[in-house]
Amino acid sequence: MRDVPVGSNSCVGEIACQYTYAIDENSNVRVAIGDNSCNARAACIGMGKSVTPFDNSCNAPGACNNFHGTMGNGSCNCEDCCRCLPSNSVVPNNSCNSIGQCCDSNGWPLQNKIGAGACTLAEDSCSNLQTATIGSGSCVGSVACKESSMNVGSNSCIGAQACYQTRGRAGQMYAHIGFGWPPYETFETNEALIGNDSCNGSINACSGNLRGLAVGNNSCNGNYACHGYTHGGRNEKVIGNNSCNCPNCCLCLRDLGRSVSATVPDNSCNSLAPDADSIDWVNGGNGPYNHCCTA
């Protein structure tokens, strides 16, 4: 251990932080350990690259052994929890605290694959993920993807609570559009599926879809464009490419019953209708449609 910034009550244990170096050959900071972390035998031995101080993490034997990435707070607190993760991994806050979340029992990485520039720790954007594959530049903003289970493309879910508490529908079959697959292909999934450049806005673009969400590319961009929460109307939604791109554009679809799936085809519902009579959207139709919801 050499020149490593260490907080209070950290690096307690046999070789807990051995071979952990803070400064590289160019005098750049490589590792900063916060409070109440790395307390166990070889907990953070050989650790590198986590330049943001982390607290309450890596408190178990070998938990962060040779970890070279960015570590969140309250994470990797079980034996060998994160030692399998590849270089440049990002571990969100309150994540990877049991075997089977980020490393399997054989020491291989799984789940929570996070791309470059995704999941900003300072904004708590990805804490408590259930399972996730998140593309580069996605899940940026205050609690943007917190408490979600998703497969997300690049540059999506940007904005406060953009995809907060958004998940798939376990044990059900529903359609998916985007990611290069044929439209309306059915499959079973526990994760929401969001394409590239989608679910972006200042707040709640795609949040609160607890019963299933599938979004194509360049869709649901706008405040509350495809937001989900409502009393009893937590229905699943399938949104095509280039659809629902304005504030509140498809917000009213949340008001369908629990058992009704809402499907919006490509190039549809990109503006609000001036009145109810102007809505031309037909659920399950081929479209394209001008309006799904009123202003």
Side-chain angles (χ1 to χ4, degrees):
M1 181 173 176
R2 182 184 300 167
D3 301 323
V4 178
V6 177
S8 301
N9 305 310
S10 294
C11 294
V12 178
E14 184 182 1
I15 61 173
C17 298
Q18 189 175 17
Y19 305 126
T20 298
Y21 296 94
I23 308 299
D24 65 15
E25 63 275 11
N26 297 315
S27 298
N28 297 313
V29 174
R30 289 181 55 193
V31 180
I33 298 170
D35 298 334
N36 306 307
S37 296
C38 301
N39 292 317
R41 187 182 189 281
C44 294
I45 187 171
M47 192 177 195
K49 292 188 178 180
S50 195
V51 299
T52 301
F54 53 89
D55 300 326
N56 305 305
S57 294
C58 304
N59 291 308
C64 300
N65 188 330
N66 285 312
F67 177 83
H68 286 245
T70 300
M71 178 63 58
N73 299 319
S75 298
C76 299
N77 289 307
C78 72
E79 186 170 359
D80 297 330
C81 262
C82 296
R83 68 179 300 176
C84 76
L85 296 179
S87 294
N88 301 315
S89 294
V90 176
V91 176
N93 297 329
N94 306 310
S95 299
C96 304
N97 285 312
S98 64
I99 291 296
Q101 289 185 338
C102 294
C103 296
D104 66 17
S105 58
N106 296 313
W108 291 97
L110 76 168
Q111 297 186 0
N112 296 351
K113 302 173 181 67
I114 298 174
C119 291
T120 49
L121 291 176
E123 297 175 303
D124 198 26
S125 63
C126 293
S127 64
N128 301 322
L129 289 176
Q130 296 178 24
T131 59
T133 299
I134 297 174
S136 60
S138 294
C139 294
V140 175
S142 178
V143 300
C145 296
K146 184 176 181 178
E147 298 177 11
S148 295
S149 179
M150 300 185 296
N151 290 323
V152 181
S154 300
N155 303 310
S156 294
C157 297
I158 298 171
Q161 303 178 67
C163 297
Y164 173 64
Q165 289 190 334
T166 288
R167 303 163 192 163
R169 189 173 183 183
Q172 299 292 326
M173 303 291 286
Y174 72 99
H176 165 66
I177 302 173
F179 289 94
W181 295 338
Y184 311 111
E185 179 182 3
T186 58
F187 66 102
E188 187 170 346
T189 183
N190 292 319
E191 293 83 41
L193 296 155
I194 297 171
N196 301 318
D197 303 301
S198 294
C199 297
N200 300 321
S202 297
I203 189 168
N204 285 323
C206 292
S207 61
N209 286 286
L210 299 178
R211 297 286 296 277
L213 178 69
V215 178
N217 300 317
N218 191 36
S219 292
C220 297
N221 293 308
N223 297 346
Y224 294 92
C226 298
H227 177 63
Y229 292 119
T230 191
H231 59 283
R234 296 178 181 180
N235 56 296
E236 60 196 22
K237 300 183 188 71
V238 180
I239 311 296
N241 299 312
N242 305 306
S243 295
C244 301
N245 288 311
C246 75
N248 304 322
C249 257
C250 295
L251 176 63
C252 70
L253 304 186
R254 67 179 185 169
D255 296 324
L256 298 177
R258 280 184 181 272
S259 61
V260 177
S261 298
T263 301
V264 178
D266 295 346
N267 305 306
S268 295
C269 301
N270 287 310
S271 63
L272 291 168
D275 51 58
D277 291 337
S278 300
I279 293 175
D280 57 350
W281 171 70
V282 176
N283 195 7
N286 294 323
Y289 301 110
N290 293 313
H291 312 296
C292 287
C293 303
T294 58

